[in-house]
């Protein structure tokens, strides 16, 4: 299993890497957010370990950014920030578990094993999602209908993935703004409508059963039956 360790302190980085390698993992390392993003765009990782205090950006922002670009691998946050607020924030913004520094190596390994196991248990769902004749492949980041590949932009894929994960349920504009675009406030914009319009033009082409329904004044729902 391949892991990415994002940690800027050389001593901690080499110590953790060494231990993970000894535990049988293949480990890539990054010293900052930019290096981490580049690696994630190049390799698929089974899990990430991310320090929050990085030289070029906050680890939380890095995780948010990776999630927004569609990365679904589990993330273990490693941080010197110990407050409950920090931990809750970390978990709310895309982290799957949180370990404060200093930490015991045995605990890091145990938590990591748990995260990876949990993810493998839902592995099928994590890498592929099927709703009626619509299929999403999260590894190749492609969507298809009845086997025919849909030519989606990365942003459209993330939007469709969100609708699919909530299939059969109402998704409001503010949910999409906050989860897909990372906007906390509701700006005076029709960004959601514009993207849904474009997405629908690719997913619900003529001759296919329309899947994306508009609930006027409320939001959208992706048909699941
Ligand atoms: Ca640091």
């Amino acid at each position: 299993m391949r892991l990415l360790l994002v940690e800027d302190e050389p001593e901690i980085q080499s110590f953790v890497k060494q231990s993970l390698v000894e535990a049988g993992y293949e480990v890539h390392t990054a010293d900052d957010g930019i290096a981490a993003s580049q690696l994630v765009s190049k390799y698929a990782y089974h899990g990430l370990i991310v320090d929050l205090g990085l030289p070029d950006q906050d680890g939380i922002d890095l995780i948010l950014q990776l999630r927004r670009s569609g990365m679904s691998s589990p993330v273990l946050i490693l941080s010197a920030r110990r407050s409950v607020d920090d931990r809750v924030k970390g978990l709310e913004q895309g982290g799957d578990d949180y370990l404060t520094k200093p930490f015991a190596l045995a605990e890091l390994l145990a938590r990591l094993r748990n995260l990876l196991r949990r993810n493998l248990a839902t592995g099928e769902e994590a890498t592929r999602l099927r709703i009626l004749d619509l299929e999403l492949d999260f590894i190749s980041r492609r969507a298809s209908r009845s086997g025919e590949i849909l030519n989606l932009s990365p942003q459209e894929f993330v939007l469709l993935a969100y609708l699919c994960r909530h299939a059969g349920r109402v998704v409001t504009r503010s949910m999409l703004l906050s989860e897909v675009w990372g906007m906390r406030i509701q700006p005076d914009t029709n960004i959601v409508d514009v993207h849904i319009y474009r997405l629908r033009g690719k997913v619900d082409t003529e001759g296919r059963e329309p899947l994306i329904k508009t609930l006027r004044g409320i939001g959208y729902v992706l048909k699941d039956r």
Side-chain angles (χ1 to χ4, degrees):
M1 275 199 232
R2 191 191 288 144
L3 304 175
L4 176 62
L5 171 62
V6 190
E7 167 66 69
D8 60 311
E9 280 164 66
E11 273 174 33
I12 300 182
Q13 191 198 85
S14 74
F15 161 72
V16 172
K17 179 181 178 177
Q18 177 76 23
S19 319
L20 293 171
V21 168
E22 280 167 15
Y25 298 104
E26 179 189 350
V27 183
H28 292 176
T29 54
D31 301 327
D32 55 31
I34 290 183
S37 302
Q38 283 170 347
L39 284 168
V40 168
S41 67
K42 238 163 112 184
Y43 299 95
Y45 292 102
H46 292 94
L48 278 74
I49 300 169
V50 178
D51 171 41
L52 292 190
L54 297 172
D56 59 341
Q57 72 182 128
D58 193 292
I60 295 276
D61 294 331
L62 170 66
I63 296 167
L64 268 176
Q65 185 187 310
L66 295 174
R67 289 285 184 236
R68 228 169 276 151
S69 70
M71 190 209 61
S72 59
S73 316
V75 175
L76 174 63
I77 294 174
L78 214 53
S79 173
R81 299 176 203 163
R82 312 181 63 91
S83 79
V84 172
D85 270 2
D86 282 325
R87 274 179 283 159
V88 169
K89 192 175 158 212
L91 294 172
E92 274 179 353
Q93 314 217 321
D96 297 282
D97 200 359
Y98 198 107
L99 193 58
T100 51
K101 293 178 179 174
F103 55 88
L105 194 57
E107 187 176 3
L108 171 73
L109 291 173
R111 282 177 186 255
L112 191 61
R113 268 196 304 274
N114 267 336
L115 270 188
L116 296 173
R117 195 185 306 132
R118 228 187 292 157
N119 202 51
L120 284 182
T122 56
E124 179 70 12
E125 196 190 341
T127 60
R128 290 180 104 79
L129 194 59
R130 197 184 170 86
I131 290 149
L132 300 175
D133 66 343
L134 175 67
E135 195 168 320
L136 268 65
D137 183 326
F138 292 97
I139 302 283
S140 67
R141 313 200 49 71
R142 280 180 157 177
S144 58
R145 277 197 78 174
S146 308
E148 201 176 310
I149 299 284
L150 308 174
N151 185 24
L152 305 183
S153 70
Q155 182 76 68
E156 287 163 350
F157 183 86
V158 173
L159 177 58
L160 182 60
Y162 188 82
L163 291 172
C164 286
R165 289 199 179 103
H166 296 79
R169 285 175 280 162
V170 177
V171 170
T172 64
R173 280 183 183 75
S174 54
M175 281 165 81
L176 290 170
L177 279 171
S178 108
E179 299 301 319
V180 177
W181 281 273
M183 295 181 188
R184 295 270 150 215
I185 43 151
Q186 189 143 4
D188 186 18
T189 166
N190 62 351
I191 180 172
V192 174
D193 306 73
V194 168
H195 279 79
I196 289 278
Y197 176 80
R198 283 199 207 131
L199 182 63
R200 191 179 267 142
K202 296 181 180 182
V203 175
D204 294 339
T205 46
E206 218 178 312
R208 286 175 175 148
E209 185 189 355
L211 296 181
I212 305 169
K213 304 265 173 206
T214 301
L215 301 173
R216 205 172 288 273
I218 303 171
Y220 307 93
V221 61
L222 189 109
K223 223 176 120 140
D224 62 346
R225 58 189 160 146

